[in-house]
Amino acid sequence: MSKHRPEHTAPPDLFYNEEEAEKYTSNSRMIHIQSQMTQRCLELLALQNQSPTTGATASAATDGEAGTTPSSPKLLLDVGCGSGLSGSIIEEAGHFTVGVDISKHMLEVGRRSVSGDLFVGDIGQGFGFRAGMFDGAISVSALQWLCYSDKKEHKAHKRLSDFFQALYRCLRRGARAALQFYPESPEQIELITTVALKSGFSGGLVVDYPNSTKAKKYFLCLSVGPTLAQNLPKGLDDSATQQTASMEKRRRQDKKKGPVERKGVKTKDWVKMKKERQRRQGKDVRRDSKFTGRKRKDKF
Amino acid sequence: MRLMTHNMLYCNVKACVETANLEAERPRNFPLKINPVPGGIKHIKQEFNEEFIKGLFHKLDWEALKQTASELEIAQLPESPPENYAEDTAFLRSVHELIMEIHIMEGALECRHCGRTYPITKGIPNMLLDEDEV
């Protein structure tokens, strides 16, 4: 876990000052990660399948192809929209956003890039939208801020439940919310998930790249109304459980046979295994070819 | 802020919400009254997206929109929307102009129930509440 969590330094409305807002928005790595996560959030919303008649069954069947067929334009709520990096991606996909953020400075930067409406608000206080207005909600790296109490009056549980209740109210029936967040500890994940489910949502946590520390991403995928529990979208690369199972098996076999000859290091199999592992972590890996794992010719 | 967003916002002060009777046909904390400064309303052209307006229209609160439009002296809307609004492109276009192209840039929102005001600067309303209002 990173030592430099902004959540520890200052409350969000103070942390994202003018300078920080500018930095955040011009950092190409930030932009890259944010846009990737926004796209994944959109995928998890599975918007194109949501028609009032077909409902949840259709969205379960084609979850994998989400985002390939254009859907009719929807009204989405962008929670913790910040400087509008996520908003502009959603607009490119043809939807309309209303964004809320606690940092005025971030929003002022955001006004340049997003055409949707923005307003200043603390999501821990809930928000005053009429019931059933939105077709979906997304949030990129905002939710974890609610777990920290920066003021005496702040209680994580209260703020989270105010937020989820307000969110539940303003989404229409059948709408989904995809909320990406950076939990600091398993307790935070548990707190956020339980509060969300208590507020009436169905759904759960989707974890992408569970094998990698760096690429691992947590998405809270929630739905209003029809249950999401059985057809919760799969996290990208779900082979974690299989892998531990095969490890277990190998260990048992090893025990039986007693000490065995060590397999050669940097053989073709070893290289392939390594590459497979890195692929699972979502890294950029060269494809396998007939030259994989071959020794280079000795040269004079 | 567009009139579309204004059409969904109500006053979120806890004491106000509790007494405003949100579930009623006409809750008392909605719609918020718009007090623009002179010249604080801007008309910004935007591409007309018929499908979006069509999808949004049944969620709009027509009474509130009518009241706001006449208070701001922008348009006089009919008593009720036409029955077959989905086929009436001209009507949808006029709705689009009203809710998507009118921006409140400077001014304030005022709750008719509790009198709380929310400032709007550079088109961004500040809906932050004080701790004793949550």
Side-chain angles (χ1 to χ4, degrees):
Chain A
M1 218 30 81
S2 161
K3 280 179 202 165
H4 306 287
R5 289 180 73 92
E7 290 84 0
H8 288 310
T9 44
D13 42 342
L14 297 178
F15 179 76
Y16 289 113
N17 53 18
E18 240 165 292
E19 189 194 350
E20 196 67 32
E22 201 62 51
K23 235 193 309 186
Y24 195 91
T25 326
S26 52
N27 182 334
S28 62
R29 181 173 156 73
M30 264 333 177
I31 296 174
H32 178 69
I33 296 180
Q34 289 255 323
S35 67
Q36 256 183 353
M37 291 194 294
T38 313
Q39 255 144 17
R40 179 76 177 124
C41 277
L42 274 177
E43 223 173 280
L44 289 174
L45 284 184
L47 284 171
Q48 85 284 12
N49 303 310
Q50 283 182 359
S51 60
T53 44
T54 49
T57 40
S59 62
T62 48
D63 244 340
E65 294 89 46
T68 47
T69 39
S71 67
S72 57
K74 294 285 189 329
L75 182 63
L76 303 181
L77 179 64
D78 190 351
V79 179
C81 61
S83 52
L85 293 174
S86 48
S88 53
I89 305 265
I90 303 173
E91 273 163 25
E92 269 169 42
H95 305 295
F96 192 86
T97 65
V98 173
V100 48
D101 203 287
I102 198 170
S103 162
K104 245 182 264 168
H105 301 289
M106 286 291 251
L107 289 176
E108 270 166 33
V109 178
R111 224 160 39 92
R112 293 180 228 147
S113 57
V114 193
S115 75
D117 274 344
L118 306 167
F119 72 94
V120 185
D122 181 355
I123 56 172
Q125 299 175 340
F127 22 75
F129 282 120
R130 278 196 297 125
M133 287 303 294
F134 289 96
D135 301 309
I138 78 155
S139 163
V140 177
S141 325
L143 222 52
Q144 73 274 4
W145 284 99
L146 289 180
C147 295
Y148 301 88
S149 12
D150 301 308
K151 290 186 190 137
K152 199 176 73 219
E153 310 83 26
H154 283 185
K155 296 254 165 25
H157 190 279
K158 165 93 173 43
R159 282 164 64 71
L160 277 166
S161 91
D162 280 354
F163 164 67
F164 280 117
Q165 277 166 17
L167 185 68
Y168 189 81
R169 266 184 63 83
C170 76
L171 291 177
R172 71 167 174 76
R173 224 186 120 70
R176 281 195 193 184
L179 316 162
Q180 182 274 332
F181 65 107
Y182 288 114
E184 194 183 7
S185 61
E187 288 81 47
Q188 281 190 357
I189 302 179
E190 207 187 312
L191 177 68
I192 291 177
T193 326
T194 30
V195 174
L197 296 185
K198 258 192 194 153
S199 309
F201 285 105
S202 64
L205 202 65
V206 176
V207 186
D208 279 1
Y209 304 115
N211 292 322
S212 159
T213 15
K214 218 172 170 188
K216 194 190 230 168
K217 293 281 161 354
Y218 294 92
F219 295 85
L220 194 57
C221 194
L222 302 171
S223 158
V224 179
T227 174
L228 242 186
Q230 307 91 323
N231 48 39
L232 194 67
K234 289 227 162 53
L236 293 179
D237 175 33
D238 206 20
S239 56
T241 45
Q242 285 171 19
Q243 203 199 4
T244 49
S246 69
M247 284 285 281
E248 200 64 26
K249 206 171 149 198
R250 210 166 67 193
R251 215 173 295 145
R252 247 181 284 137
Q253 278 177 346
D254 287 354
K255 246 187 198 165
K256 243 186 249 169
K257 273 188 244 158
V260 274
E261 207 181 301
R262 270 200 133 224
K263 264 188 199 157
V265 177
K266 309 219 168 146
T267 57
K268 191 164 185 174
D269 284 345
W270 183 85
V271 172
K272 275 194 171 160
M273 195 257 293
K274 268 303 221 210
K275 286 173 86 174
E276 195 48 48
R277 185 179 141 79
Q278 288 179 347
R279 250 176 232 131
R280 275 204 302 271
Q281 293 178 345
K283 286 182 186 157
D284 190 22
V285 181
R286 281 285 172 87
R287 68 184 173 81
D288 290 335
S289 75
K290 64 176 182 180
F291 301 108
T292 305
R294 269 201 205 173
K295 202 168 178 298
R296 282 180 205 273
K297 278 224 174 88
D298 290 333
K299 284 194 179 139
F300 288 100
Chain B
M1 185 186 66
R2 293 175 174 84
L3 289 191
M4 177 196 74
T5 313
H6 170 259
N7 199 270
M8 16 193 225
L9 272 181
Y10 58 77
C11 173
N12 201 31
V13 173
K14 194 179 181 199
C16 184
V17 171
E18 277 169 359
T19 52
N21 197 4
L22 263 190
E23 306 310 323
E25 181 86 0
R26 304 244 55 80
R28 270 176 267 173
N29 58 351
F30 174 83
L32 298 169
K33 188 162 187 280
I34 301 175
N35 300 325
V37 298
I41 299 181
K42 251 195 204 165
H43 194 125
I44 303 170
K45 273 258 168 267
Q46 194 185 341
E47 206 182 324
F48 173 53
N49 189 333
E50 187 170 343
E51 227 177 312
F52 178 68
I53 301 290
K54 221 187 279 180
L56 185 72
F57 188 80
H58 69 275
K59 290 191 277 192
L60 287 178
D61 188 316
W62 183 257
E63 284 298 318
L65 190 63
K66 200 171 64 185
Q67 185 184 356
T68 314
S70 72
E71 273 174 6
L72 294 177
E73 293 169 359
I74 302 169
Q76 279 300 331
L77 296 180
E79 202 50 46
S80 58
E83 288 281 311
N84 57 342
Y85 68 85
E87 283 97 60
D88 195 344
T89 308
F91 173 73
L92 290 177
R93 195 176 280 277
S94 68
V95 171
H96 162 81
E97 252 174 58
L98 188 61
I99 65 170
M100 302 298 283
E101 296 189 349
I102 306 281
H103 290 251
I104 321 293
M105 299 306 285
E106 301 287 337
L109 297 170
E110 185 190 335
C111 174
R112 290 167 216 263
H113 185 43
C114 67
R116 167 79 149 95
T117 56
Y118 303 91
I120 306 176
T121 42
K122 297 182 186 169
I124 304 174
N126 187 343
M127 306 299 286
L128 266 182
L129 302 178
D130 295 331
E131 280 311 321
D132 57 340
E133 294 171 328
V134 183

